[in-house]
Every structure is written in C-alpha cells, then in structure tokens.
C-alpha cells in the first residue's frame, strides 16, 4: 500500500491510497487528527450525487487495507485520535472487516465512527449495539421517490424508519447519543419545502440530531449545491420543525472533504 497526497487545503489533507492489486481509494485527514478511511473499492449503493460509487463496486477492502490507511497516515507524523469509516464504500457491506477495524481502533484508544446508508437492515440493527463512537445514517430524502433517486440501493425510508422506531427505545441513553441522521442538500433533487417537511415529519419522532450537509461537487458531478442562503434557510426550517440540526463543519465544506467526493479506481495495473 502506498499513500500519495493529492490535495491540501486549510483544514484537510487528501490522499490517494494505492492498493497492492493496482486499485486505489482515497482517505482524508481532517484538522490533523481525524482520519476518514474508505471501506470498499467503489460502492454498490449508487447514490446519485456520489463520485465514490459512480463506477459500481469492485471489491471490499481487507482488514489489513483498512488498518493500513491509518498506519500510512500515522507514518507521516499525524497523531490520529479519531477515525471515521465514511470514505469510499458502504461500511455495512463490508461488515466483518469494518467491525474488526472499529474494535481495534477502540482497543488502541482511537475513537471510531461510521456513516452508512442503512442497509442491510439486519446489519444496521447489529451496529446500533456495537461499541462505536458515532453512527450517522444517511437519509437525504423525505419521500420514497426521492430516496430511490438519491440512494438507489439503500433501504427504503419505510424500512429504515421502522427499524429505528423499533430499535432506538431498546438502546441506552448514551448509545442513542451516538446516533445521528444525515441530510445532504442537493439543488433540485431534495431541497424543496415539501421534501424537507416530509423528512422532518419522519425524523422528529426519533429525537435524534440531524447533520445538514452542504453538497461539495467534484468535476464529474451531475448535481449542484444549493446557495448558502438556501442552506441557512433550510437549517432554520428544520430547527423550527423541532429538530436538532448541525451544520457542516468548515473542514467538510472545503474542496478536499465532504460527502460523496472521494474517488475509487478499479484494479488497473496496466492503466
Ligand atoms: S454516498 Fe456512500 S453509500 Fe452512497 S454511493 Fe457513495 S460511498 Fe456508497
């Protein structure tokens, strides 16, 4: 495995992780201490806004490749205190390797979190109880029609919210504090008042916080972000609806960070 720095900005350092079979994924070091790692080469979920899954899934990363991303960044001198499995890939589709990685992080006093589109639901149920430090579930829609467009091969909103409605009351208060929903605002795709109202109606009974992400397009993106004014308006609208809402941090707004911006290259030794 080899690490190549491909971008640097005020808060972030972005790396291409060259794997031994010729495939590559990306990792981002946020604010010098938080590492976002990839869990698969590509992704099968196919989110419409996401560069990571644009070419489908090639393969899952091995446990050694997951840990190798952390080791390689630490070898550059970074003191990593938090990791998030939120880069290329759906972590729940590489469940065993990601679980082992998360447990090893905790054993080494590195706080692990992950971001998932929520499926398979049986895995989500398992992750609600596993000892992570944060689980963010990407929702990105208020209606099934939009969910199907935004997260085509993720679970439906009905399946997701039924699961959370049943499972969250079984969780302790401290476990529930580690769970959040995510809504990535994409212009013309999921930013209408009706869509947001529908999302708020589903999310409110759960009582979990919502991360409202600003979209950070890459050159190949088919979508555009909403304006800053609209982003702030939606933030206010969701809060007014009774939700606890967190805005994107500056590090995630930068060109080298942000949901769905990391790239995967399939195996191509000869390319
Ligand atoms: S946003 Fe996540 S789940 Fe969706 S295609 Fe990209 S990597 Fe996969």
């Amino acid at each position: 495995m080899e690490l190549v720095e491909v971008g640097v900005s005020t808060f972030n350092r972005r790396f291409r992780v060259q794997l031994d079979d010729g495939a590559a994924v990306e990792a981002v070091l946020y604010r010098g201490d938080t590492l976002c790692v990839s869990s698969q080469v590509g992704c099968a979920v196919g989110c419409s806004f996401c560069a990571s899954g644009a070419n489908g899934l090639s393969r899952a990363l091995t446990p050694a490749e997951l840990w190798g991303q952390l080791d390689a960044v630490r070898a550059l001198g970074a003191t990593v205190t938090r990791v998030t499995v939120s880069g290329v890939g759906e972590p729940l589709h590489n469940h065993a390797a990601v679980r082992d990685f998360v447990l090893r992080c905790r054993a080494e006093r590195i706080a692990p979190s992950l971001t998932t589109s929520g499926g398979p639901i049986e895995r989500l149920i398992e992750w609600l109880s596993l000892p992570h430090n944060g689980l963010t579930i990407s929702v990105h829609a208020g209606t099934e029609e939009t969910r199907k467009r935004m997260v085509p091969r993720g679970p439906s909103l009905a399946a997701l919210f039924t699961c959370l409605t049943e499972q969250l009351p079984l969780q302790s208060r401290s476990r529930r504090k580690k769970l959040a929903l995510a809504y990535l605002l994409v212009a013309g795709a999921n930013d209408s008042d009706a869509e947001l109202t529908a999302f708020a109606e589903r999310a409110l009974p759960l009582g979990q916080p919502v991360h409202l992400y600003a979209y950070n397009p890459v050159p190949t993106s088919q979508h555009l972000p909403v304006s800053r004014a609209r982003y702030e308006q939606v933030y206010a609208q969701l809060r007014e609806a009774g939700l606890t809402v967190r805005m994107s941090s500056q590090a995630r707004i930068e060109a080298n960070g942000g949901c769905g911006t990391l790239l995967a290259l399939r195996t191509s030794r000869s390319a």
Side-chain angles (χ1 to χ4, degrees), residues 39-40 42-54 86-91 93 115-118 138 140 150-152 154 184 259-262:
S39 58
Q40 296 181 297
C43 183
V45 180
C47 298
S48 60
F49 54 85
C50 177
S52 309
S86 303
V88 179
E90 166 49 68
H93 289 186
T115 302
T116 175
S117 55
S138 299
H140 309 329
M150 294 289 285
V151 190
L184 175 75
C259 185
T261 63
L262 301 191

Side-chain angles (χ1 to χ4, degrees), residues 185 212 225-237 247:
L185 265 183
L212 184 65
V226 300
S227 67
R228 184 68 195 179
R230 177 62 180 151
Y231 177 76
E232 287 175 7
Q233 198 179 41
V234 171
Y235 171 76
Q237 187 179 332
M247 289 181 146

Side-chain angles (χ1 to χ4, degrees), residues 200-260:
E201 281 169 5
R202 286 183 195 271
L204 194 58
L206 296 181
Q208 301 301 136
V210 173
H211 296 307
L212 184 65
Y213 291 145
Y215 181 47
N216 202 357
V218 293
T220 54
S221 297
Q222 311 281 322
H223 295 291
L224 291 170
V226 300
S227 67
R228 184 68 195 179
R230 177 62 180 151
Y231 177 76
E232 287 175 7
Q233 198 179 41
V234 171
Y235 171 76
Q237 187 179 332
L238 293 180
R239 279 172 61 97
E240 216 164 281
L243 293 168
T244 301
V245 190
R246 297 174 188 151
M247 289 181 146
S248 287
S249 68
Q250 198 55 40
R252 291 205 177 259
I253 292 171
E254 283 188 2
N256 287 315
C259 185

Side-chain angles (χ1 to χ4, degrees), residues 138-167:
S138 299
V139 180
H140 309 329
T143 62
E144 295 289 7
E145 198 188 355
T146 301
R147 170 77 177 175
K148 197 76 198 150
R149 277 202 305 269
M150 294 289 285
V151 190
R153 286 176 287 284
S156 67
L157 293 178
L160 199 52
F161 281 87
T162 298
C163 164
L164 294 173
T165 302
E166 289 171 0
Q167 294 297 321

